[in-house]
Amino acid sequence: MEEVKYGVRAERAMELFKEGYNCTQSVVLAFSDYYKESTEDLAAMVCSFGGGMGRLREVCGAVSGMLFVAGRIYGYSDPKAKEKKAEHYARVQELARRFREKNGAIVCRELLGLTEKVSTPVPEERTQEYYKKRPCMALIGDAAEILEQYIAENSPESEVEEKTE
């Protein structure tokens, strides 16, 4: 099996997961230089989305983190900006497509091969065995890598300039 090589942000996201942050927090914090908020505020802001939204096993937390970052970088704030909304939703769908293409799904329970829709709210201990049996680390790396590539292809500077005009 060939070893996957990730970019800087993907590596950082995986390190953050090893530190104990959840999947969403790990991806979001790997891109923290794009925001004004502190690490603590960011981590608290997105903490509910880990485990497929509070271990409900819905949308993968890494995907939620990727989309949160995309919103912070490229998002719109004007509720009447229909074109911007459509552009952003197209971006969200593209990022989700890339993740789904690489991993087969964007839903946590499908990615983990679980049949239960909801699991206990108590997270499992992060042991070596946990990391061996769960694909979460790789999924976090994939989400950060996909977003890192997307940003390289779609310079956010022009988006930021538009927001400040």
Side-chain angles (χ1 to χ4, degrees):
M1 185 180 207
E2 187 180 316
E3 186 177 327
V4 178
K5 295 205 188 303
Y6 290 101
V8 173
R9 295 202 190 257
E11 291 290 345
R12 180 67 183 133
M14 293 185 293
E15 287 171 17
L16 289 161
F17 187 70
K18 285 182 191 173
E19 288 177 22
Y21 288 103
N22 73 32
C23 37
T24 307
Q25 292 170 321
S26 298
V27 173
V28 169
L29 294 177
F31 291 86
S32 62
D33 55 306
Y34 280 97
Y35 332 112
K36 296 175 191 160
E37 294 89 358
S38 69
T39 297
E40 293 78 15
D41 287 345
L42 285 167
M45 194 179 307
V46 300
C47 69
S48 299
F49 298 96
M53 299 183 186
R55 292 180 54 88
L56 289 170
R57 305 302 186 197
E58 296 296 338
V59 174
C60 170
V63 173
S64 294
M66 175 177 65
L67 300 179
F68 174 88
V69 175
R72 291 292 283 136
I73 294 173
Y74 302 102
Y76 64 93
S77 58
D78 179 356
K80 294 179 172 82
K82 290 182 181 180
E83 260 185 61
K84 291 284 185 196
K85 183 184 279 191
E87 286 172 16
H88 191 67
Y89 287 175
R91 180 177 297 112
V92 165
Q93 290 178 10
E94 171 62 16
L95 290 166
R97 182 196 63 75
R98 291 182 188 191
F99 188 90
R100 186 181 293 112
E101 190 174 272
K102 185 162 189 172
N103 295 292
I106 66 167
V107 174
C108 177
R109 71 179 157 275
E110 292 172 16
L111 292 162
L112 297 179
L114 302 174
T115 55
E116 299 171 14
K117 281 198 170 195
V118 178
S119 59
T120 172
V122 181
E124 289 181 51
E125 266 315 298
R126 300 266 185 96
T127 63
Q128 289 298 351
E129 192 57 38
Y130 171 90
Y131 290 115
K132 285 180 191 173
K133 73 177 182 175
R134 288 293 180 102
C136 301
M137 184 84 69
L139 297 171
I140 289 162
D142 289 345
E145 183 79 9
I146 288 164
L147 185 57
E148 191 170 12
Q149 289 170 351
Y150 185 88
I151 292 168
E153 296 164 5
N154 301 276
S155 175
E157 287 80 32
S158 61
E159 300 287 333
V160 172
E161 287 171 18
E162 287 178 23
K163 286 182 188 177
T164 58
E165 289 179 354

